[in-house]
Amino acid sequence: MPTYQALKGITESIYWKPTFKWVIDAVRVMNKIQTESKGVRPIKMSGGNDLSYYTYLKDVRYQVLAHFEWNDQREELAGDRDENKHHNIAMRSVHQGGRRDIFLGARECQAYVKPCEFGGGEGFYDSYGEWNMGYMFHGFSYPDENPDHNLISRFWTPIMEDGVIRFESPDSPLLDRHIVRHGLNVKEFNLGKNVTSAEEE
């Protein structure tokens, strides 16, 4: 299953500005989880090629439920908080397949996005019941998303129920947190200088 962070990265590839942050509410696994191995010939540092076998997920399809929230740590961008404008830009970007290329974990695993109704259609795990996915990575809290400007990694134990995993929000007390780096510098943004306002887009 994709992690919260992977799905957040995909939504940011569709549309993102430092004014807001994407929050992933849930993911629905539509197809049966299966893998396949492929032989690839990566280039060796010493020259020539090598043969490696990689295991990839096969024939994946997900429905994702997400929304954006204002980044309260970015008070300098308060003038850009136009919910209607950003929503409309995000919806146009989804219909166009995103503003940047979409990948699932690796550069060679290109993905495609399109709008859907979450819960619509038939999924392989619709009547599967509960599946404990085990202890795993949830995501990062970046320095510009918390008041102490720390880089924080989050972990949890998700449970998929009938194909749907509902994510804990990044500030949930149910997540395990580990500080990777303390008090990092945060890049400043200024409307009209290094970031455009919603009216200019």
Side-chain angles (χ1 to χ4, degrees):
M1 58 156 284
T3 63
Y4 179 98
Q5 190 65 42
L7 295 173
K8 183 181 176 186
I10 290 172
T11 56
E12 289 176 347
S13 291
I14 296 170
Y15 174 61
W16 177 82
K17 287 190 73 176
T19 309
F20 61 84
K21 52 189 177 182
W22 283 103
V23 177
I24 310 301
D25 300 304
V27 62
R28 183 179 178 215
V29 180
M30 299 297 292
N31 293 347
K32 180 180 180 181
I33 297 173
Q34 49 191 335
T35 60
E36 63 180 349
S37 295
K38 291 186 177 182
V40 296
R41 298 188 67 85
I43 299 173
K44 296 197 298 186
M45 295 294 290
S46 58
N49 294 83
D50 204 356
L51 178 61
S52 297
Y53 284 93
Y54 293 171
T55 300
Y56 297 92
L57 287 171
K58 174 184 177 183
D59 189 28
V60 299
R61 186 163 60 102
Y62 308 108
Q63 291 180 349
V64 179
L65 183 65
H67 69 278
F68 64 79
E69 297 177 355
W70 303 131
N71 187 348
D72 294 332
Q73 305 304 312
R74 292 288 186 187
E75 287 300 328
E76 72 273 22
L77 299 179
D80 188 39
R81 294 176 182 171
D82 186 331
E83 181 178 352
N84 187 56
K85 187 79 171 183
H86 287 301
H87 175 266
N88 290 338
I89 295 173
M91 291 306 297
R92 284 198 304 269
S93 298
V94 169
H95 281 277
Q96 295 169 359
R99 289 188 164 190
R100 294 183 304 211
D101 290 344
I102 310 295
F103 307 107
L104 294 177
R107 179 66 176 86
E108 64 268 25
C109 300
Q110 190 161 6
Y112 304 92
V113 296
K114 63 180 182 180
C116 70
E117 180 182 347
F118 190 85
E122 184 177 342
F124 182 84
Y125 296 99
D126 285 351
S127 302
Y128 191 84
E130 288 191 357
W131 182 355
N132 189 315
M133 308 300 289
Y135 193 71
M136 63 184 294
F137 177 69
H138 180 276
F140 288 115
S141 295
Y142 288 103
D144 70 335
E145 297 175 344
N146 65 85
D148 295 324
H149 304 309
N150 297 326
L151 175 61
I152 302 169
S153 58
R154 306 184 305 267
F155 298 85
W156 71 321
T157 304
I159 294 177
M160 184 171 77
E161 186 170 354
D162 294 334
V164 176
I165 296 171
R166 303 209 173 268
F167 290 99
E168 294 291 336
S169 65
D171 58 354
S172 170
L174 299 178
L175 299 176
D176 292 337
R177 289 176 173 73
H178 303 280
I179 297 177
V180 180
R181 293 198 176 160
H182 291 269
L184 297 174
N185 292 328
V186 175
K187 178 180 179 179
E188 289 190 18
F189 290 98
N190 296 292
L191 288 176
K193 293 184 179 179
N194 58 354
V195 65
T196 58
S197 67
E199 290 75 19
E200 297 174 293
E201 293 198 44

